Amino acid sequence: MPNATVCLCFDFDAVSGWIHGHGATDSPVKLSRGRYGPEVAAPRILDLLDRMDVPATWFTPGHTIESFPEICGEVHDCGHDVQHHGWHHTPPAKFAGREAERADFERGIETIRDLTGEKPTGYRSPSWDFSAHTLDILQELDFEWDSSLMGHDFEPYRVRELPTADPDEPYVAGEETDLLEFPVSWHRDDWPSLQFTPGRSGRPRADEEAVFDGWYEQFDWMYENVEDGVFTLTMHPQVTGQPPRLRYLEAFVESVRAKQGVEFALLNDVDRRIS
Ligand SMILES: [Zn+2]
């Protein structure tokens, strides 16, 4: 049993994030930023992961798979894990209703099954939010784990049923479900710190290397303080793939694995170990 597990994750939004997160259906510039992910960044990232011999979980919208099938096939062929990130990359609360959300889930499942031959077992919600129906749908469709919530930092936990959230009453958490949560954080995500988008919130850092150093500091804290901690790191190919950031990612991986008892793993494999 390792002392610490690191799960590198790439949210492979490509163009879908710009269409369904930013409404950029008519902006060739924004769409080109999305295309950069599969066409330029992802091949470089696959080379780096191969050279360092570390696996990664790629949360991939069905839209990305159908738009850029070759590189998505390469991700799978390289031994990385393709998991569910919506078909449209629509944040769950923005669907018209339960049926529309479930249909998007099912379409995403079929697209991944066509690519990998297997039904996805894990889910990461676009923009990290749930609707009132998301948890029910995950259970109905037999998902085993999720990686979208923020109820802990480095310890996986069981997702609870929806709480009572009456503002006039004390908060009461729902019952635990079987769904395992691998918590995420905006502070372990490349987008807010490194992706500049005019008119949107977020403050890209001038010292980009400091972002990766900050991730190492978080990892180091976990290593010192949390037994069997799981460190999830969320990156987007179109963000971390921009030069010279892969150099910083490589240094991060090298620093982390210099410590004793550290393992790089797929989230799905950690789920199997824990469940
Ligand atoms: Zn995404």
Side-chain angles (χ1 to χ4, degrees):
M1 190 76 154
N3 296 321
T5 305
V6 178
C7 296
L8 301 182
C9 305
F10 290 94
D11 289 10
F12 201 5
D13 304 341
V15 173
S16 72
W18 292 102
I19 296 175
H20 298 286
H22 298 257
T25 50
D26 58 354
S27 166
V29 174
K30 286 181 178 166
L31 297 177
S32 73
R33 295 182 76 174
R35 221 176 54 234
Y36 179 92
E39 293 185 349
V40 180
R44 293 177 183 165
I45 292 168
L46 289 177
D47 282 349
L48 180 68
L49 296 175
D50 180 56
R51 192 154 48 75
M52 293 189 300
D53 194 24
V54 289
T57 303
W58 292 62
F59 292 99
T60 309
H63 184 275
T64 298
I65 295 172
E66 293 192 15
S67 302
F68 305 97
E70 277 186 28
I71 189 68
C72 293
E74 274 184 54
V75 168
H76 173 64
D77 291 345
C78 287
H80 303 295
D81 197 22
V82 177
Q83 293 289 353
H84 204 294
H85 195 41
W87 193 92
H88 287 95
H89 202 274
T90 298
K94 296 209 170 150
F95 283 108
R98 192 184 206 289
E99 289 315 307
E101 184 178 354
R102 184 171 161 132
D104 184 84
F105 258 103
E106 290 175 343
R107 189 176 177 189
I109 289 171
E110 289 315 312
T111 308
I112 290 178
R113 207 198 306 262
D114 286 346
L115 179 76
T116 68
E118 288 180 36
K119 178 182 174 297
T121 53
Y123 175 67
R124 172 167 289 165
S125 65
S127 303
W128 284 343
D129 209 353
F130 274 21
S131 75
H133 311 295
T134 308
L135 178 57
D136 278 351
I137 294 171
L138 285 168
Q139 292 176 298
E140 286 167 12
L141 297 175
D142 294 323
F143 278 85
E144 294 169 18
W145 55 271
D146 173 74
S147 185
S148 316
L149 304 180
M150 305 182 189
H152 213 298
D153 35 40
F154 304 120
E155 294 182 31
Y157 63 94
R158 300 287 167 187
V159 178
R160 290 178 177 273
E161 298 285 358
L162 286 182
T164 59
D166 182 336
D168 294 324
E169 301 290 338
Y171 171 84
V172 179
E175 293 288 315
E176 270 189 5
T177 69
D178 290 335
L179 194 72
L180 191 66
E181 177 64 34
F182 294 102
V184 293
S185 166
W186 289 110
H187 302 287
R188 289 189 298 284
D189 181 326
D190 59 3
W191 195 280
S193 297
L194 296 173
Q195 183 78 317
F196 175 70
T197 309
R200 303 278 294 200
S201 63
R203 294 168 294 141
R205 292 283 294 262
D207 182 355
E208 298 192 344
E209 194 169 12
V211 175
F212 295 79
D213 291 344
W215 293 342
Y216 180 77
E217 290 296 324
Q218 289 189 53
F219 167 80
D220 197 42
W221 193 95
M222 180 188 90
Y223 188 82
E224 297 293 332
N225 294 282
V226 181
E227 195 173 341
D228 298 325
V230 178
F231 184 93
T232 59
L233 184 58
T234 297
M235 295 171 283
H236 300 74
Q238 62 189 284
V239 180
T240 287
Q242 302 260 356
R245 297 167 184 164
L246 289 181
R247 193 179 288 163
Y248 304 148
L249 175 61
E250 183 170 1
F252 168 82
V253 170
E254 293 300 345
S255 303
V256 162
R257 70 170 163 202
K259 287 181 175 283
Q260 216 175 12
V262 176
E263 178 186 68
F264 285 81
L266 300 173
L267 282 170
N268 198 50
D269 290 339
V270 183
D271 173 70
R272 296 219 168 113
R273 195 171 76 205
I274 294 174
S275 295

